[in-house]
Amino acid sequence: VPLLAMDPGFRAGIKCVMLDENLMPRIKFVVNLNDPTKLRDSVRTVCQKYSIKKIVIGNGVGSRETELEVAAAIKEHSLDAEYAIVSETGASVYSASAIAAEEFPTLDILYRGAVSIGRRVQDPISELVKIPVKSLGVGNYQHDIREKLLVRELEAVAQSCVAFVGVN
């Protein structure tokens, strides 16, 4: 099912990527929170043109404001779509990584984070294993533990989860 992934932000705007049924980016654009009419119209246009049923919003800076505008667009235009807010922990780390560059060599780094955010709804384990475990924000006391020990233990837990659930 195609979806619209949104990586909110005030300074650089909301980075938006439409992901097809194979979770590959097809279109990309930026809208700004300071232009709510354009934001709502963009959501409407993409949802109607590409039969988008799911909109995924990252929970970072500007997410609440983005959520309000997306909800308004859905209601105002009677869109047959729903939205979800997901953690964007590690999305910026992923977007600048060698893995992301290899996976999307022609996609601007600004949009790679939105791709990661969108994919977390469809296949979270496959997406999260691409992020270094120490970048996942595992708690308030993670900096009190020796980094090598923390990384070793977190990687062991991640491997255990992947082995139990599996990844395609």
Side-chain angles (χ1 to χ4, degrees):
V1 178
L3 60 86
L4 176 62
M6 304 177 86
D7 183 1
F10 289 109
R11 190 176 50 81
I14 304 166
K15 285 72 66 190
C16 303
V17 178
M18 191 280 283
L19 300 175
D20 67 16
E21 56 279 348
N22 297 313
L23 300 177
M24 295 302 292
R26 291 296 167 229
I27 63 165
K28 61 189 185 317
F29 58 95
V30 174
V31 291
N32 289 298
L33 282 165
N34 60 6
D35 191 350
T37 302
K38 183 176 179 184
L39 196 164
R40 291 179 190 187
D41 286 344
S42 296
V43 169
R44 175 188 51 82
T45 300
V46 171
C47 286
Q48 290 175 341
K49 185 173 182 179
Y50 298 100
S51 301
I52 300 294
K53 305 284 187 216
K54 172 93 53 194
I55 301 167
V56 182
I57 304 167
N59 71 341
V61 174
S63 66
R64 293 291 173 228
E65 295 82 355
T66 302
E67 175 187 12
L68 291 173
E69 294 304 329
V70 167
I74 291 170
K75 184 176 180 181
E76 183 178 306
H77 301 293
S78 301
L79 300 174
D80 182 23
E82 61 184 11
Y83 68 88
I85 297 175
V86 301
S87 171
E88 59 180 52
T89 300
S92 61
V93 172
Y94 164 77
S95 66
S97 73
I99 294 170
E102 182 179 322
E103 196 171 9
F104 304 109
T106 60
L107 187 63
D108 188 294
I109 192 171
L110 288 176
Y111 296 104
R112 292 178 190 160
V115 171
S116 179
I117 289 166
R119 287 177 161 187
R120 292 172 188 203
V121 167
Q122 298 292 80
D123 196 357
I125 298 269
S126 290
E127 200 56 32
L128 292 172
V129 296
K130 299 174 189 175
I131 300 167
V133 290
K134 66 181 183 178
S135 298
L136 291 176
V138 293
N140 292 335
Y141 302 104
Q142 74 184 40
H143 302 293
D144 294 342
I145 302 171
R146 287 190 333 271
E147 186 173 355
K148 284 184 179 182
L149 175 63
L150 175 66
V151 170
R152 186 177 71 229
E153 293 299 318
L154 289 173
E155 285 176 350
V157 170
Q159 288 172 359
S160 173
C161 290
V162 170
F164 182 74
V165 175
V167 175
N168 289 343

